[in-house]
Amino acid sequence: MLLGMPHLALNGLSETWLLKELGHRHWLMLAQMVGRPVPDFRDAAGAPVYAAFRSVEVCEAAFEKARENDVLHIRSALSRISRTQMRSCHELAIDGASIGSVILTSVFVHRKAGASNHSIARIEVAGLPPFAAVTPPQLAPRMPDHDPRITFECLEFTPCPSQDFNGAGFLYFTSFLAFADRTEWALTPPPTRICNVARRDITYFANLDPGEAITVHLGTLHVRRDLRLLCCRINRSNDGTPLADIRTLKRL
């Protein structure tokens, strides 16, 4: 893929664009796995079935190496890891050199017509190959929730339907990343804003409906002089339901 402005951000490859592209590839590979020309999955009642992402892992990222007119090579593989979950692994390279990898884990979900995004449920899709137990790749150890060194600050957002929700009516999985980065930009001192993602781990728990607000809690910890770990928790504001947990290791 020839890189241009849609694929790039200020400091290299756009992580938001990349996850959207890989999420789309994940969806197309699901259709290919069951021999369908397009990823149109349905439940017994004929209602749409979607692949909601449960986690995203960005490993050994060097996105700052990507520049305009570089050619990005993406090598992708998909596997079934449980009754309802699928995992895709994507290796990224420019000029034969790795700039990172991304692991996406999804679960098939459905909802009743007119139902709230609070009530989506898992569902098994017929026609998938059998699954075998696998050991998922591991990121750096997660930050303990009770770590006393982290002091959290927070901001509240009301996601915009035209920008933050996808065509299925869900808050899009890349929007969580955008909320975390915007909160970091707003709450951290200017000298620490110029940094690059080395690793990122996103775990998704729930979704919300258009018009509902979210509260983004952000804490930071300097691992060493040139590294810091950001711990971000996103909750639904009206009832405090956890929506996502994002941990990011950045190089200053």
Side-chain angles (χ1 to χ4, degrees):
M1 180 174 293
L2 180 65
L3 298 181
M5 291 303 105
H7 319 102
L8 299 171
L10 183 61
N11 292 330
L13 191 67
S14 166
E15 191 177 358
T16 299
W17 168 82
L18 176 66
L19 294 183
K20 287 182 178 181
E21 173 66 22
L22 299 184
H24 181 57
R25 290 177 180 230
H26 181 102
W27 189 224
L28 294 177
M29 287 192 295
L30 287 173
Q32 185 180 37
M33 179 175 277
V34 297
R36 301 186 182 187
V38 294
D40 183 19
F41 296 93
R42 301 278 169 170
D43 62 17
V49 172
Y50 298 105
F53 286 107
R54 293 284 294 163
S55 67
V56 171
E57 298 170 79
V58 178
C59 310
E60 299 180 345
F63 297 159
E64 67 276 8
K65 295 182 179 179
R67 294 289 182 266
E68 186 180 4
N69 299 321
D70 283 345
V71 176
L72 174 67
H73 294 266
I74 305 174
R75 184 175 61 186
S76 303
L78 179 72
S79 59
R80 186 182 184 188
I81 61 172
S82 76
R83 185 177 64 87
T84 59
Q85 292 187 99
M86 309 292 293
R87 173 172 290 136
S88 62
C89 299
H90 310 267
E91 301 291 337
L92 314 172
I94 293 176
D95 292 331
S98 173
I99 63 166
S101 62
V102 178
I103 302 165
L104 304 176
T105 302
S106 70
V107 59
F108 285 107
V109 299
H110 68 152
R111 61 186 172 198
K112 296 179 180 179
S116 166
N117 285 341
H118 298 198
S119 60
I120 58 175
R122 293 192 185 195
I123 187 173
E124 186 173 3
V125 170
L128 294 171
F131 63 89
V134 297
T135 301
Q138 295 294 318
L139 286 177
R142 289 188 174 186
M143 178 60 56
D145 290 343
H146 61 276
D147 195 305
R149 295 171 291 177
I150 293 184
T151 300
F152 285 94
E153 299 180 81
C154 67
L155 288 179
E156 187 171 288
F157 295 89
T158 299
C160 175
S162 66
Q163 296 293 323
D164 300 318
F165 287 77
N166 62 17
F170 298 114
L171 185 63
Y172 201 23
F173 80 110
T174 60
S175 297
F176 295 84
L177 167 64
F179 297 139
D181 281 356
R182 291 187 180 117
T183 300
E184 178 192 354
W185 179 258
L187 297 181
T188 56
T192 65
R193 294 174 181 170
I194 303 173
C195 52
N196 298 307
V197 172
R199 316 176 79 102
R200 196 188 295 270
D201 182 4
I202 309 175
T203 304
Y204 301 94
F205 306 115
N207 212 275
L208 80 166
D209 295 320
E212 292 184 303
I214 60 172
T215 304
V216 185
H217 303 267
L218 180 73
T220 63
L221 175 71
H222 285 272
V223 179
R224 63 174 195 249
R225 185 174 182 179
D226 61 334
L227 286 176
R228 66 179 178 138
L229 184 64
L230 294 97
C231 183
C232 180
R233 294 160 187 163
I234 301 178
N235 295 334
R236 205 159 51 212
S237 296
N238 59 359
D239 59 7
T241 297
L243 299 180
D245 189 359
I246 304 174
R247 290 174 173 85
T248 309
L249 186 66
K250 290 195 172 184
R251 295 184 297 270
L252 300 181

